């Protein structure tokens, strides 16, 4: 598996990241070297009956109302806030 | 005896017996942090520590019954939340993020009246094996400042080795407590998955992350793990099993203990001679050596570099420039907020792993990578379970050798290889410790890793404690 610059740009877009053009080539090479490394698993056998399940949950906690964080507390770390909400620039004119 | 030479257990006893005050102990360690600033092991010392220590001393003077760590200083890794303090994950993104609540592990430390004196440097978001990838600059190895302390809990390990604290907390997703412990000549454990609550620990790979204590000796480590461990209603993945008294499981005897040596691990070693001498030593002490096979152990590393980035990309999705800490100033609309804040906020390695995670999770590749890696993980777990039918513990080196020089490893894959011996414990969800086992040719420490089956930390501590107390004498 080898990715091209365009694939890297696509992945960056999916990841909400951007790179300077001159960094892309090196990043692509390093990325491909990592993919070459993880591709080792492609030749490994897995028994047909092996299944993966998400982390075993021992038991779920009782669904009861508990005290939560106060609004001000949640907003404490927001870069911008307005009237008790997270504030972002206008999305529609 | 000097305060800096006292173990956690000794400090707790002396403070309780009023032979020492917590205030003087805390002041000695805070001065160490100041004097050894060059190590860059601690991002921030907490100045309220002295005041808290004083209040512990007052309560002791009044005859109140205090916790098992009353007055003892401890440093926590910068990804563990302590209410009101910054927890930045050594990332520019979270440089101003103040914890709105305390993690379960911090609550447990405070319940035992420990004094948290600072937060330790780390690789950004715990992604790295050298603590060179921190927004705050690299941490130096406390024993040789031209070398790395290992990572990602390099600050926590260097802080203990450099006596900036008698103990610390790290987190271990692929070896991040054990590899730095090995490089700094200290003791660090990665407990069974689910043994210690992850509530309030900033997530990297949720199915692999565990908090582990770093100490100068095995008994201190056993005491700390006992305090940290246990079921937590805020972390559904914590195990619902009773936490044993680990100290009482240390018998001072390993006669008849079955020590496993994994054939596939031996073939990966660069220096077999030193390891073989350890195997011979165990034999001479009356332990039984069992050679075991874990045929797919070498695949743990590629499996890890699929599963961990896949989980990391999901966990780090929350850092969007809206809710936490920083936002790119130049962003003019909401998509730019996401993209620019993340691009400016994350370092290169973090970006790499986010992209790798998105790649292995993307449609078309999901089955070949993520799904297959999960199946291989099951297979490797079964192979470990089979091996542990023949032995009580398995021993391996913690790393290839001594700590490497700063700047020596720049290739990402070569850096990933650093975790080759430690990573299997995370993939198999089992506990593993690193303890010092002599020095290499550069006079830097080497680590012995001891692994056991799930929930068998007691067996690990018993063998580790025996080794610590007896190995030097007979060599």
């Amino acid at each position: 598996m080898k990715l091209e610059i365009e694939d890297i740009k696509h992945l960056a877009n999916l990841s909400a990241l951007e790179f300077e053009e001159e960094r892309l080539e090196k990043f692509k090479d390093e990325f491909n070297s990592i993919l070459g490394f993880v591709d080792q698993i492609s030749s490994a056998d897995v028994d047909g009956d092996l299944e993966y399940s998400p982390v075993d949950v021992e038991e779920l906690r009782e669904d009861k109302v508990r005290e939560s964080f106060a609004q001000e507390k949640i907003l404490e770390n927001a870069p911008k806030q307005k009237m008790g909400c997270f504030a972002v620039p206008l999305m529609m004119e | 005896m000097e305060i800096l030479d006292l173990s956690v257990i000794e400090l707790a006893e002396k403070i309780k017996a009023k032979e020492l005050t917590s205030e003087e102990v805390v002041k000695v360690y805070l001065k160490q942090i100041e004097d050894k600033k060059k190590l860059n092991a601690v991002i921030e010392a907490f100045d309220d520590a002295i005041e808290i220590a004083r209040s512990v001393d007052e309560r002791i003077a009044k005859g109140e019954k205090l916790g098992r760590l009353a007055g003892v200083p401890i440093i926590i890794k910068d990804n563990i939340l302590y209410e009101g303090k910054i927890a930045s994950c050594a990332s520019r993104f979270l440089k101003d993020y103040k914890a709105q609540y305390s993690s379960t592990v911090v609550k447990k430390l405070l319940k035992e009246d420990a004094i948290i004196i600072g937060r330790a440097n780390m690789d950004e978001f715990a992604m790295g094996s050298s603590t060179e990838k921190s927004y705050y600059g690299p941490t130096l190895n406390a024993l040789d400042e031209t070398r790395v302390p290992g990572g990602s809990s390099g600050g926590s390990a260097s802080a203990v080795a450099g006596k900036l604290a008698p103990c610390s907390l790290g987190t271990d997703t692929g070896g991040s407590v054990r590899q730095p412990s090995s490089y700094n000549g200290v003791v660090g454990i990665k407990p069974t998955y689910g043994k210690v609550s992850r509530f309030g620990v900033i997530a990297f790979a949720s199915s692999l992350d565990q908090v582990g204590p770093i100490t100068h000796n095995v008994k201190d480590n056993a005491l700390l793990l006992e305090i940290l461990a246990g079921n937590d209603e805020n972390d559904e993945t914590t195990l619902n099993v009773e936490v044993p008294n680990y100290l009482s499981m240390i018998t001072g005897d390993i006669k008849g203990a079955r020590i496993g040596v994994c054939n596939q691990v031996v073939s990966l070693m660069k220096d077999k001679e030193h390891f073989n001498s350890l195997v011979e030593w165990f034999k001479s002490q009356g332990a039984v050596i069992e050679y075991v096979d874990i045929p797919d152990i070498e695949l743990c590393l590629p499996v890890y570099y699929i599963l961990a980035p896949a989980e990391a990309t999901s966990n780090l999705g929350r850092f969007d420039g809206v809710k936490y800490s920083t936002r790119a100033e130049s962003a003019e609309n909401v998509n730019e907020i996401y993209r620019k804040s993340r691009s400016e906020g994350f370092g290169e390695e973090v970006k790499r792993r986010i992209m790798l995670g998105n790649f292995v999770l993307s449609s078309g590749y999901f089955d070949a990578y993520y799904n297959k890696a999960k199946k291989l993980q099951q297979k490797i777990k079964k192979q470990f379970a089979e091996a542990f039918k023949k032995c009580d513990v398995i021993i391996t080196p913690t790393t290839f050798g001594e700590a490497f020089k700063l700047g020596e490893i720049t290739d990402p894959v070569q850096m990933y290889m650093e975790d080759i011996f430690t990573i299997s414990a995370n993939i198999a969800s089992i506990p593993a410790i690193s303890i010092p086992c002599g020095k290499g040719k550069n006079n830097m420490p080497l680590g012995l890793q001891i692994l056991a089956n799930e929930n068998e930390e007691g067996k690990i501590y018993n063998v580790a404690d025996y080794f610590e107390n007896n190995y030097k004498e007979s060599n």
Side-chain angles (χ1 to χ4, degrees):
Chain A
M1 188 74 216
K2 275 228 178 307
L3 298 189
E4 302 298 333
I5 292 277
E6 283 312 306
D7 302 319
I8 298 288
K9 282 185 178 168
H10 175 62
L11 266 182
N13 190 38
L14 284 178
S15 309
L17 291 171
E18 56 192 18
F19 292 88
E20 291 160 16
E21 282 293 326
E22 60 267 30
R23 286 284 309 120
L24 276 172
E25 192 65 35
K26 186 165 180 268
F27 196 89
K28 184 200 78 177
D29 292 343
E30 286 170 348
F31 203 84
N32 279 328
S33 126
I34 296 166
L35 281 188
F37 175 71
V38 300
D39 268 336
Q40 283 179 67
I41 70 157
S42 63
S43 55
D45 281 335
V46 278
D47 308 337
D49 58 342
L50 283 175
E51 279 300 320
Y52 86 80
S53 54
V55 177
D56 295 328
V57 174
E58 297 258 311
E59 61 188 48
L60 294 170
R61 127 181 126 221
E62 210 184 320
D63 187 18
K64 60 180 183 212
V65 178
R66 304 196 301 176
E67 206 180 323
S68 188
F69 295 107
Q71 190 179 29
E72 307 82 64
K73 194 131 191 161
I74 293 293
L75 287 168
E76 253 171 20
N77 282 292
K80 281 203 176 104
Q81 52 164 300
K82 209 171 185 178
M83 299 188 302
C85 300
F86 294 106
V88 295
L90 257 167
M91 293 171 79
M92 282 182 285
E93 293 293 332
Chain B
M1 221 179 178
E2 293 282 329
I3 285 175
L4 294 177
D5 296 327
L6 296 172
S7 70
V8 170
I9 292 172
E10 287 166 336
L11 278 172
E13 278 169 2
K14 288 190 188 294
I15 293 169
K16 191 179 168 190
K18 297 181 209 165
E19 289 171 39
L20 286 174
T21 65
S22 175
E23 183 178 347
E24 64 182 313
V25 172
V26 166
K27 278 182 172 165
V28 164
Y29 276 108
L30 287 176
K31 183 165 186 310
Q32 279 285 101
I33 294 174
E34 193 55 38
D35 292 349
K36 295 196 178 183
K37 252 203 157 100
K38 200 179 157 212
L39 287 180
N40 200 23
V42 174
I43 295 173
E44 183 194 3
F46 298 143
D47 44 18
D48 59 359
I50 295 174
E51 203 181 308
I52 299 170
R54 225 173 266 154
S55 73
V56 164
D57 288 329
E58 281 165 18
R59 286 164 59 205
I60 291 173
K62 278 189 209 152
E64 277 181 42
K65 186 171 160 35
L66 273 79
R68 285 172 288 176
L69 297 174
V72 177
I74 185 165
I75 284 172
I76 57 174
K77 192 175 176 177
D78 195 31
N79 57 353
I80 299 173
L81 304 194
Y82 178 13
E83 190 175 351
K85 311 284 190 220
I86 290 174
S88 80
C89 277
S91 177
R92 180 180 161 180
F93 212 120
L94 293 180
K95 65 185 169 55
D96 304 315
Y97 172 72
K98 249 188 207 162
Q100 293 125 312
Y101 64 100
S102 284
S103 52
T104 299
V105 286
V106 160
K107 280 190 188 148
K108 287 187 177 223
L109 291 176
L110 298 179
K111 191 168 167 245
E112 299 292 345
D113 299 303
I115 317 284
I116 302 173
I117 61 169
R119 54 190 175 103
N121 204 2
M122 58 188 277
D123 284 300
E124 185 182 4
F125 282 101
M127 296 175 187
S129 303
S130 65
T131 315
E132 293 172 293
K133 298 201 168 69
S134 159
Y135 173 64
Y136 300 98
T139 294
L140 312 181
N141 190 302
L143 309 175
D144 176 350
E145 294 179 0
T146 67
R147 292 175 190 275
V148 301
S152 64
S153 310
S156 302
S158 184
V160 174
K163 298 187 176 176
L164 313 188
C167 55
S168 66
L169 296 190
T171 60
D172 190 315
T173 307
S176 284
V177 162
R178 290 159 289 155
Q179 184 250 22
S181 293
S182 174
Y183 282 175
N184 286 279
V186 292
V187 177
I189 196 165
K190 194 289 283 185
T192 306
Y193 182 75
K195 180 65 60 182
V196 177
S197 168
R198 293 178 295 106
F199 180 68
V201 180
I202 299 174
F204 161 16
S206 314
S207 80
L208 304 166
D209 297 343
Q210 271 295 286
V211 174
I214 298 175
T215 57
H216 283 289
N217 68 60
V218 173
K219 288 195 177 84
D220 282 355
N221 206 281
L223 172 66
L224 276 168
L225 182 61
E226 192 189 322
I227 287 166
L228 298 170
N231 184 253
D232 178 10
E233 65 166 359
N234 288 319
D235 175 359
E236 297 292 349
T237 63
T238 46
L239 299 162
N240 212 345
V241 293
E242 206 172 313
V243 179
N245 178 337
Y246 293 121
L247 282 170
S248 75
M249 295 170 86
I250 294 175
T251 62
D253 182 18
I254 59 161
K255 278 203 180 54
R258 298 169 307 159
I259 311 264
V261 174
C262 173
N263 293 314
Q264 289 75 15
V265 169
V266 173
S267 68
L268 291 171
M269 286 175 204
K270 285 182 182 162
D271 176 14
K272 293 188 176 55
E273 205 179 311
H274 178 68
F275 182 74
N276 286 338
S277 74
L278 299 177
V279 173
E280 286 309 312
W281 182 83
F282 273 111
K283 237 188 248 180
S284 74
Q285 303 297 304
V288 180
I289 304 298
E290 294 283 352
Y291 286 87
V292 297
D293 287 306
I294 300 164
D296 289 315
I297 198 164
E298 214 181 330
L299 291 175
C300 287
L301 208 50
V303 162
Y304 176 87
Y305 276 98
I306 293 167
L307 300 184
E311 295 184 25
T313 198
S314 313
N315 276 323
L316 270 57
R318 75 190 60 163
F319 301 114
D320 55 7
V322 176
K323 300 187 285 295
Y324 304 100
S325 196
T326 45
R327 172 182 297 183
E329 303 242 328
S330 63
E332 287 180 359
N333 58 49
V334 91
N335 277 325
E336 276 190 11
I337 288 181
Y338 300 155
R339 217 168 47 238
K340 288 191 190 296
S341 301
R342 288 164 66 82
S343 299
E344 288 174 15
F346 293 138
E348 182 116 329
E349 183 59 29
V350 175
K351 288 178 188 165
R352 199 182 339 270
R353 299 210 197 179
I354 289 173
M355 303 243 303
L356 191 57
N358 275 328
F359 175 75
V360 300
L361 291 175
S362 56
S363 71
Y365 300 112
F366 182 75
D367 272 339
Y369 289 99
Y370 186 79
N371 218 340
K372 181 143 188 194
K374 279 309 259 186
K375 285 181 179 175
L376 279 167
Q377 182 183 24
Q378 290 301 318
K379 194 176 176 193
I380 292 162
K381 275 187 183 182
K382 282 186 182 172
Q383 291 174 2
F384 264 104
E386 207 49 45
F388 282 121
K389 284 181 186 165
K390 285 201 226 160
C391 57
D392 298 308
V393 295
I394 292 174
I395 57 169
T396 79
T398 310
T399 60
F400 282 124
E402 299 155 283
F404 50 94
K405 295 265 186 183
L406 286 152
E408 190 180 323
I409 300 183
T410 52
D411 174 57
V413 174
Q414 202 191 338
M415 189 66 92
Y416 298 171
M417 294 297 283
E418 271 297 301
D419 292 331
I420 193 150
F421 298 118
T422 51
I423 210 129
S424 59
N426 302 82
I427 296 298
S429 313
I430 58 176
I433 203 169
S434 177
I435 56 170
C437 67
K439 299 226 164 135
K441 59 180 190 306
N442 298 307
N443 204 33
M444 289 295 285
L446 297 168
L448 171 71
Q449 185 180 222
I450 307 170
L451 306 95
N453 212 347
E454 284 179 12
N455 293 312
E456 304 262 47
E457 282 85 354
K459 282 185 181 173
I460 289 180
Y461 282 131
N462 187 40
V463 173
D465 177 76
Y466 184 88
F467 184 88
E468 181 178 85
N469 291 325
N470 297 285
Y471 175 65
K472 274 176 204 149
E473 279 83 344
S474 59
N475 268 262

